[in-house]
Amino acid sequence: MTMNSEGRPTAPSAPSQGVGRKTFTGNRGLQIEEALLFEVGRVDNCGVDLEDIGDFDSRLGGLEREREIGLPGLSEPEAMRHYVRLSQKNYAIDMGVYPLGSCTMKHNPRLNEKTVRFAGLADIHPLQPQSTVPGAIEVIGQLAHWLKVLTGMPAVAMSPKAGAHGELCGMMAITAALKARGERRQFVLVPESAHGTNPATAALLGYKIRAIPAREDGTVDLEVVKENLSDDVAAIMLTNPNTCGLFEKDIVEIADAVHAAGAYFYCDGANLNAIMGKARPGDLGVDCMHINLHKTFSTPHGGGGPGAGPVVFSERLAPFVPLPFILDGKLVEDVTEAAKGTGEGSQTFGRMTAFHGQMGMFVRALTYMISHGADGLLQISEDAVLNANYVRVCLQDIMSLPFGERPCMHEALFDDSFLEGSGVTTLDFAKAMIDEGYHPMTMYFPLVVHGAMLIEPTESESKAGLDLFVAALRDLVFAAKAGDLERFTGAPHLAPLRRVDETRAARQPILRWTPPVAAEAAE
Amino acid sequence: MRYLPLTDSDRQAMLERIGVDQINDLFADIPKDKLLADLVDLPLAVGELQVERQLAALAAKNVAAGSVPFFVGGGAYRHHVPATVDHLIQRSEFLTAYTPYQPEISQGTLQTLYEFQTQVALLTGMEVANASMYDGSTGCAEAVLMAQRITKRPKAILSGTLHPHYRAVVENMSEFSGHDLVSLEGAPGAVEDIISLIDDQTACIVVQSPGFYGDLVNLAPLAEAAHAAGALLIAVVTETISFGAIKSPGEMGADIVVAEGQSIGNGLSFGGPYVGLFATRQKYLRQMPGRICGETVDADGQRCFALTLSTREQHIRREKATSNICTNSGLCCLAFSIHMSLLGEVGLRKLAQLNHRNAILLADQLEKISGVELMTGAFFNEFTIKVPGNAATIIEALAAKNVLGGIPVSRLEPGRDDLADLIVVAATEINTNEDRAAFVVALNEVLS
Amino acid sequence: MSASEVKYTEDHEYVRVEGDIATIGISVYAQEQLGDVVYVELPEVGKALAKGEEAAVVESVKAASEINAPVSGEVIEVNSELDGTPATVNEDALGKGWFIKARISDPSELDDLLSEDAYKSFIEGLD
């Protein structure tokens, strides 16, 4: 079997040390319990007032709904409380450091939220005549321009809905370009440190994956890449800066080797935040790269989405961009029209989604980019890298760096060797951070490092904020080494919940609420 | 810069602590000749006021849907969203949280996802739902791949009722993933014989109801025929409000239901972000793509929620994952769920009736115009009319009169000359008697 | 049946041989390393297994591991009990936690496998 024991948080092993007294309501001061919508709502309750229209002859062709749906309703005050109480059980960037490596949890400016709600940008339909939405097309065009200049790439696909969707877009373009050359290649090279989306994307398109191991210094070995290249390799999917927080210093040579083999260089742009204004992927030999607007350009993560994943393309891939695309200030939506041109989009591979992409994210990202300007975007990268290195240096004497004491980019990667013999795991350590009021860092990723802890502070943290964060982590490390197991194995002690039993959730999946009566009958 | 907390003296102190002389020492791994010496060629930073002015100027160039009589649908619909929704989704704890991978401090997101999944399952008449896809169209392509995994068969058959963009997305995915596809040509009121095309290589048939042209389809016989041949029925719905008036796809035998959830809680936003609803039968759970939230307990035995069954997903299964999807439509799901809880059963049904009634009133009025023909028999809130002349030209002429009167089919089917005189028209609760009257007057003027 | 009839691969699958029938599962060491098993994906009865190729998948909460066939043969039975109670793999890996029974097609392949003692010293060398 392929043993994969990385990241095995399972059922809680230690009982909780209940803090404080039990209350009658279950509430604890400002921490208020909230039952499920289906328990507080009633099927005959409603929080909207709609016109009474009386009876009329329907034209539903005999397909009228007869059965009750079973949807509970809430009046407005009940709804307000339900969701406000629930919101208070979430950690958020607006509350504190959110050092999730590879996720770029930066401040989300509220100006973005204001501009995106301007009626002329929010209340427009994707299929109303183009003549009635020139400003919207200009927003997409302007953002496209900013992205192209910043990355030094000549073309961009704006429609992909998220990073992984962007990867799919890039790999489709590569496949289409190969096809145009009369080729169908079988393999894609993916470093072991890559995000899981990379191999998943390549596999979705029928490629076989060749995993490239990491070198001892955490970067990709040029010689190994060369050994794995052949005329049957379509592309390499490389993240740069990589998921170990390091810049692939042989990137230009890797790109040259890939091109010499007739293959393409897909760059995962998840970590663009480290190099904006410092270096341009276009100068490094990249053929296409997705950009996570929800990471680098501050569009809110919203509890898991929505994101946006525009993809920039080199000259070689520009003809293959998907529909729709902006050309000379016009939105090109149709193959025949696209084929009239000679450059960008002239051999478009088709459509990835209905309509034109994540406009709501475009407006936010453009607002953010205009706010920062060329100078501010450069400062972002410098501050992000500075903050990460500051954290690294402040912790490297007591935590363990897998690749030695060397500068990192915008995130600092530690492994769990400093916890060896303490009885504390990476997971326990992370859960203890929750008690200190911090969201844990990314754990057990990248897979190439044992018990990985990947810290990305972003440029949004102040020095004072980082000093306290670092002091808290140092205190935890000392406690772990001193054998204060109780602080870790039962953690979190002070969160809204004790350690959650994820094993039970997976062994007996309960994925929706069912009425108590029905649930009993089913047993 | 207002968003950056570090001051120059902070930066200096930090560089000293790190033990380097200058910031570029931290970028030493970037090849020297690739390090940019100057700023990129873009404008410099500006204050909030200036940014707001620039964006306001761009916004002012567009005709907002709410400023004119508005009848555009085709997979995105303008509905009234209660003020409460937009307030709640902007709470910091929802807006600025990441994917809930730490359940102990993410119960807000997790419980709302669990409630969302339940609402979607109830609406679609299915047993399980995921925590959303990017949108209806990408969800549709994922559903086809899922059916191919379940049946281990290569072929999908797309009904002509399917939205042309959805069809294009599925076609694209099928081509690149090496699957077979049969697409039927669509037309309003068309009777198609999809059943005779089902063979032992067919993984699924994909049918949209209400269809792109507005037609309602009885899915029950299609489900029966598909099942008899060992294939699945994928039902697509682009107008979620219709669940309040029409039999659920689950009730009619669908195996996977994919819907665009934008209509509930989410504005038009020029096409995105939207929220894809995805539901299926319990037995196909392990082949379902996307995040799923499940119920469990914490160490004290307290009921709570966590993301689960993640071994299907890319971050664990890598190249063997059910999909490459990572991000979902979190905040749009939340908007959907809040709006749906405000509506409840009573509100949704009433809203659906209101939409249906407004569409009937509009169809009746348009049909009376000389030369205009109603092409759709049974419909919900959208139908197709045939006009005497080029539909695209007529829609532009209506826009010049400040009426956004629907979608010329030629915009989505540019290669089909036989559809060049068709307009897909949608009516929702936002339309008033005055809006309808203005549409009729303008269309009369344009046609005469 | 004595424990000595159990043979192992270096990838932690075990085979219990009774006549020409092989009962396949994962070792006690493997289930410890994986943590709580939450799901086991089993092949269909009648499937032909080729030695070294994927036969099943065992999932813990945050990991999925492929089980490769230790010997070639035809699947004659799978342990459907695991569907409802995957925890059995953790509790009784060598007994009730078995995955697959297969009819061995090439008994000589068994010679390549490790004896229980050899496997024991193999895993001692891993830590």
Side-chain angles (χ1 to χ4, degrees):
Chain A
M1 61 187 289
T2 53
M3 182 76 77
N4 181 352
S5 59
E6 278 296 333
R8 51 174 182 118
T10 53
S13 55
S16 95
Q17 309 292 312
V19 176
R21 66 165 70 210
K22 279 219 183 301
T23 58
F24 173 75
T25 53
N27 301 336
R28 301 198 322 175
L30 291 183
Q31 188 81 232
I32 298 181
E33 286 306 306
E34 183 61 14
L36 282 165
L37 163 64
F38 306 91
E39 294 155 348
V40 295
R42 283 128 295 155
V43 172
D44 58 353
N45 200 3
C46 187
V48 292
D49 293 316
L50 292 160
E51 183 188 340
D52 271 315
I53 52 173
D55 287 341
F56 61 96
D57 290 333
S58 88
R59 288 198 209 165
L60 297 172
L63 295 174
E64 289 80 359
R65 178 183 274 279
E66 286 147 10
R67 288 192 205 162
E68 185 179 87
I69 309 169
L71 287 169
L74 299 173
S75 65
E76 186 172 310
E78 290 171 299
M80 196 59 88
R81 285 200 184 145
H82 182 67
Y83 291 102
V84 168
R85 287 171 177 176
L86 287 179
S87 75
Q88 290 173 331
K89 299 178 196 301
N90 268 5
Y91 192 84
I93 305 168
D94 286 351
M95 295 164 71
V97 184
Y98 215 128
L100 275 175
S102 218
C103 301
T104 313
M105 296 297 284
K106 60 168 67 181
H107 171 61
N108 299 154
R110 290 314 192 275
L111 176 61
N112 305 354
E113 297 303 312
K114 184 175 185 183
T115 56
V116 78
R117 285 171 173 79
F118 288 159
L121 298 175
D123 190 21
I124 48 175
H125 192 287
L127 297 177
Q128 68 186 70
Q130 283 201 27
S131 60
T132 64
V133 285
I137 294 168
E138 209 177 318
V139 164
I140 303 179
Q142 273 194 30
L143 180 61
H145 175 72
W146 280 75
L147 295 175
K148 287 192 279 193
V149 172
L150 197 59
T151 57
M153 306 280 276
V156 60
M158 295 297 288
S159 67
K161 298 249 155 185
H165 204 223
E167 288 178 30
L168 192 60
C169 172
M171 291 306 294
M172 282 177 170
I174 287 171
T175 308
L178 285 166
K179 194 176 170 196
R181 283 172 17 197
E183 290 186 58
R184 167 75 213 189
R185 298 185 171 204
Q186 284 200 68
F187 294 95
V188 170
L189 310 187
V190 182
E192 282 174 352
S193 60
H195 296 110
T197 48
N198 295 172
T201 300
L204 195 53
L205 300 184
Y207 287 108
K208 295 188 185 114
I209 310 301
R210 269 193 200 153
I212 305 290
R215 214 162 29 187
E216 278 198 359
D217 70 354
T219 60
V220 170
D221 191 332
L222 171 63
E223 294 311 315
V224 177
V225 171
K226 282 184 178 165
E227 282 161 24
N228 278 281
L229 280 167
S230 71
D231 60 6
D232 211 10
V233 171
I236 186 168
M237 297 182 83
L238 189 68
T239 308
N240 196 25
N242 70 22
T243 60
C244 300
L246 303 171
F247 192 89
E248 294 284 354
K249 51 185 184 297
D250 295 334
I251 185 166
V252 176
E253 291 75 19
I254 291 174
D256 288 345
V258 166
H259 292 154
Y264 295 90
F265 181 0
Y266 186 94
C267 183
D268 184 322
N271 294 336
L272 180 62
N273 208 49
I275 58 166
M276 283 192 296
K278 279 287 179 197
R280 299 183 304 175
D283 297 335
L284 303 171
V286 169
D287 287 302
C288 56
M289 180 178 89
H290 74 264
I291 297 167
N292 303 85
L293 298 185
H294 49 290
K295 293 181 179 175
T296 317
F297 299 109
S298 82
T299 74
H301 277 78
V311 183
V312 286
F313 288 97
S314 66
E315 206 70 64
R316 305 198 303 157
L317 290 179
F320 304 96
V321 301
L323 295 169
F325 57 91
I326 306 262
L327 195 65
D328 303 329
K330 195 173 176 296
L331 193 66
V332 180
E333 295 179 283
D334 146 47
V335 183
T336 322
E337 200 185 332
K340 287 177 189 159
T342 52
E344 184 171 352
S346 55
Q347 298 176 68
T348 177
F349 70 74
R351 181 174 276 280
M352 298 212 55
T353 174
F355 314 127
H356 327 307
Q358 307 284 63
M359 180 66 166
M361 304 296 125
F362 300 161
V363 176
R364 289 177 175 94
L366 182 62
T367 302
Y368 182 80
M369 293 182 94
I370 293 175
S371 294
H372 282 87
D375 47 342
L377 294 172
L378 174 65
Q379 192 67 60
I380 285 174
S381 287
E382 292 188 349
D383 283 2
V385 171
L386 184 62
N387 275 352
N389 277 286
Y390 186 68
V391 168
R392 173 183 62 81
V393 165
C394 291
L395 293 173
Q396 67 189 12
D397 59 324
I398 52 167
M399 288 172 70
S400 36
L401 292 167
F403 306 116
E405 293 181 6
R406 51 175 287 189
C408 59
M409 297 304 284
H410 66 310
E411 50 195 359
L413 175 63
F414 297 91
D415 65 21
D416 64 356
S417 54
F418 75 95
L419 290 173
E420 217 171 289
S422 69
V424 175
T425 64
T426 291
L427 181 76
D428 297 329
F429 190 84
K431 296 294 184 193
M433 285 172 69
I434 293 175
D435 283 333
E436 295 296 332
Y438 292 111
H439 193 285
M441 67 288 268
T442 293
M443 295 176 289
Y444 300 106
F445 180 85
L447 305 175
V448 294
V449 166
H450 198 270
M453 301 180 207
L454 186 62
I455 301 178
E456 180 181 1
T458 82
E459 72 280 6
S460 304
E461 294 308 323
S462 68
K463 179 172 178 295
L466 288 181
D467 285 336
L468 184 59
F469 175 69
V470 161
L473 286 192
R474 292 186 72 87
D475 187 66
L476 283 172
V477 175
F478 288 131
K481 290 184 175 176
D484 183 4
L485 271 187
E486 162 49 30
R487 190 165 165 192
F488 297 92
T489 54
H493 300 284
L494 303 171
L497 290 172
R498 305 292 83 72
R499 187 108 32 122
V500 169
D501 189 345
E502 297 186 51
T503 297
R504 177 175 160 138
R507 277 186 178 163
Q508 301 140 23
I510 305 172
L511 308 175
R512 60 175 284 190
W513 179 83
T514 34
V517 182
E520 274 165 31
E523 273 166 17
Chain B
M1 211 291 143
R2 59 189 177 278
Y3 301 140
L4 299 174
L6 297 186
T7 65
D8 282 341
S9 57
D10 289 335
R11 292 182 181 113
Q12 197 48 47
M14 292 165 81
L15 286 173
E16 280 166 25
R17 176 74 178 82
I18 294 166
V20 294
D21 296 332
Q22 46 165 345
I23 187 73
N24 269 0
D25 293 349
L26 298 176
F27 289 89
D29 283 342
I30 300 181
K32 288 265 172 313
D33 60 325
K34 302 297 178 189
L35 207 58
L36 297 173
D38 301 307
L39 289 179
V40 290
D41 185 18
L42 290 167
L44 298 182
V46 288
E48 185 162 328
L49 177 61
Q50 286 76 11
V51 183
E52 199 175 315
R53 277 192 188 131
Q54 284 189 44
L55 271 295
L58 290 166
K61 294 181 185 177
N62 304 324
V63 178
S67 66
V68 293
F70 184 84
F71 303 94
V72 188
Y77 303 87
R78 187 167 193 275
H79 292 286
H80 175 73
V81 178
T84 310
V85 176
D86 201 40
H87 170 81
L88 285 170
I89 66 166
Q90 285 192 78
R91 279 194 66 94
S92 289
E93 303 91 327
F94 286 133
L95 187 76
T96 76
Y98 192 68
T99 305
Y101 287 135
Q102 298 294 333
E104 295 86 356
I105 46 171
S106 311
Q107 285 299 303
T109 299
L110 287 162
Q111 183 168 333
T112 56
L113 287 179
Y114 184 80
E115 292 174 352
F116 169 83
Q117 288 171 189
T118 307
Q119 287 171 324
V120 172
L122 288 168
L123 283 166
T124 54
M126 302 302 279
E127 286 143 21
V128 286
N130 72 10
S132 81
M133 308 302 284
Y134 306 132
D135 66 3
S137 66
T138 56
C140 184
E142 290 275 9
V144 170
L145 291 171
M146 174 173 156
Q148 285 158 340
R149 284 195 299 275
I150 291 169
T151 60
K152 301 188 174 71
R153 294 177 178 186
K155 190 164 87 181
I157 304 173
L158 308 186
S159 157
T161 53
L162 191 62
H163 190 295
H165 280 176
Y166 286 46
R167 187 186 67 217
V169 174
V170 177
E171 281 174 351
N172 192 46
M173 181 64 95
S174 289
E175 191 189 324
F176 281 102
S177 61
H179 288 99
D180 301 336
L181 197 66
V182 177
S183 296
L184 296 175
E185 284 196 340
V191 179
E192 57 182 19
D193 183 12
I194 199 164
I195 291 176
S196 69
L197 296 171
I198 303 173
D199 60 21
D200 63 2
Q201 292 303 300
T202 307
C204 58
I205 56 173
V206 184
V207 184
Q208 180 180 325
S209 178
F212 172 69
Y213 298 96
D215 300 284
L216 299 183
V217 184
N218 183 4
L219 300 175
L222 301 174
E224 206 172 301
H227 296 161
L232 306 187
L233 170 66
I234 297 173
V236 178
V237 176
T238 60
E239 170 52 292
T240 316
I241 304 286
S242 70
F243 287 128
I246 302 170
K247 261 188 202 148
S248 72
E251 214 179 314
M252 294 190 272
D255 300 285
I256 304 173
V257 182
V258 176
E260 174 51 69
Q262 171 269 331
S263 278
I264 297 181
N266 291 277
L268 291 170
S269 189
F270 204 49
Y274 290 172
V275 47
L277 315 185
F278 197 108
T280 188
R281 303 283 176 199
Q282 179 77 33
K283 60 183 169 185
Y284 302 134
L285 172 63
R286 300 240 164 218
Q287 292 300 333
M288 182 158 69
R291 288 182 190 140
I292 303 175
C293 173
E295 185 185 314
T296 184
V297 294
D298 75 354
D300 281 351
Q302 167 133 350
R303 177 179 71 183
C304 60
F305 306 92
L307 292 181
T308 192
L309 303 181
S310 44
T311 41
R312 299 163 300 111
E313 295 183 69
Q314 47 75 26
H315 60 104
I316 290 174
R317 210 52 170 281
R318 298 176 80 85
E319 67 262 36
K320 292 195 172 159
T322 50
S323 164
N324 75 337
I325 194 167
C326 179
T327 303
N328 67 353
S329 287
L331 207 63
C332 300
C333 305
L334 178 64
F336 177 99
S337 200
I338 297 169
H339 191 183
M340 190 55 84
S341 3
L342 284 165
L343 285 167
E345 179 100 17
V346 179
L348 181 69
R349 284 176 171 251
K350 224 167 157 180
L351 182 59
Q353 290 306 315
L354 197 49
N355 273 260
H356 185 43
R357 196 275 317 255
N358 278 0
I360 292 172
L361 291 177
L362 181 65
D364 286 348
Q365 284 173 272
L366 292 175
E367 205 178 9
K368 288 194 186 102
I369 298 174
S370 159
V372 173
E373 199 180 328
L374 177 65
M375 304 299 287
T376 317
F379 59 83
F380 172 60
N381 69 352
E382 194 164 22
F383 52 82
T384 303
I385 55 171
K386 187 186 235 175
V387 288
N390 181 285
T393 316
I394 290 169
I395 286 297
E396 285 290 347
L398 285 170
K401 293 179 178 294
N402 273 325
V403 172
L404 295 178
I407 305 162
V409 172
S410 59
R411 177 149 180 202
L412 292 106
E413 295 280 15
R416 296 272 307 275
D417 292 341
D418 57 322
L419 307 176
D421 55 359
L422 298 179
I423 300 173
V424 175
V425 182
T428 74
E429 77 283 359
I430 63 161
N431 301 126
T432 61
N433 285 330
E434 291 72 27
D435 289 341
R436 284 187 288 272
F439 189 4
V440 169
V441 168
L443 186 55
N444 258 315
E445 286 172 8
V446 167
L447 294 180
S448 60
Chain C
M1 188 183 58
S2 73
S4 62
E5 290 174 72
V6 179
K7 294 195 151 204
Y8 291 86
T9 68
E10 288 190 357
D11 294 327
H12 313 289
E13 292 98 3
Y14 74 79
V15 187
R16 187 186 297 279
V17 185
E18 289 164 290
D20 64 343
I21 304 301
T23 303
I24 300 166
I26 63 169
S27 71
V28 173
Y29 172 83
Q31 67 78 22
E32 275 169 8
Q33 288 295 305
L34 290 174
D36 296 347
V37 170
V38 299
Y39 185 68
V40 181
E41 192 182 307
L42 296 165
E44 281 167 26
V45 171
K47 185 182 170 175
L49 301 179
K51 182 181 174 171
E53 287 183 9
E54 182 181 320
V57 180
V58 58
E59 297 182 0
S60 53
V61 174
K62 305 232 164 151
S65 305
E66 282 120 32
I67 307 301
N68 299 327
V71 286
S72 305
E74 185 195 334
V75 178
I76 56 167
E77 193 184 344
V78 295
N79 188 357
S80 45
E81 294 286 310
L82 296 181
D83 206 22
T85 54
T88 311
V89 178
N90 294 114
E91 290 152 9
D92 190 11
L94 295 180
K96 289 180 184 162
W98 63 277
F99 289 9
I100 299 165
K101 286 189 199 293
R103 192 178 312 282
I104 300 170
S105 58
D106 180 3
S108 71
E109 287 175 354
L110 293 168
D111 301 341
D112 304 338
L113 301 176
L114 303 175
S115 69
E116 182 148 19
D117 288 343
Y119 178 68
K120 253 184 203 155
S121 40
F122 170 71
I123 53 177
E124 273 161 21
L126 289 180
D127 291 324

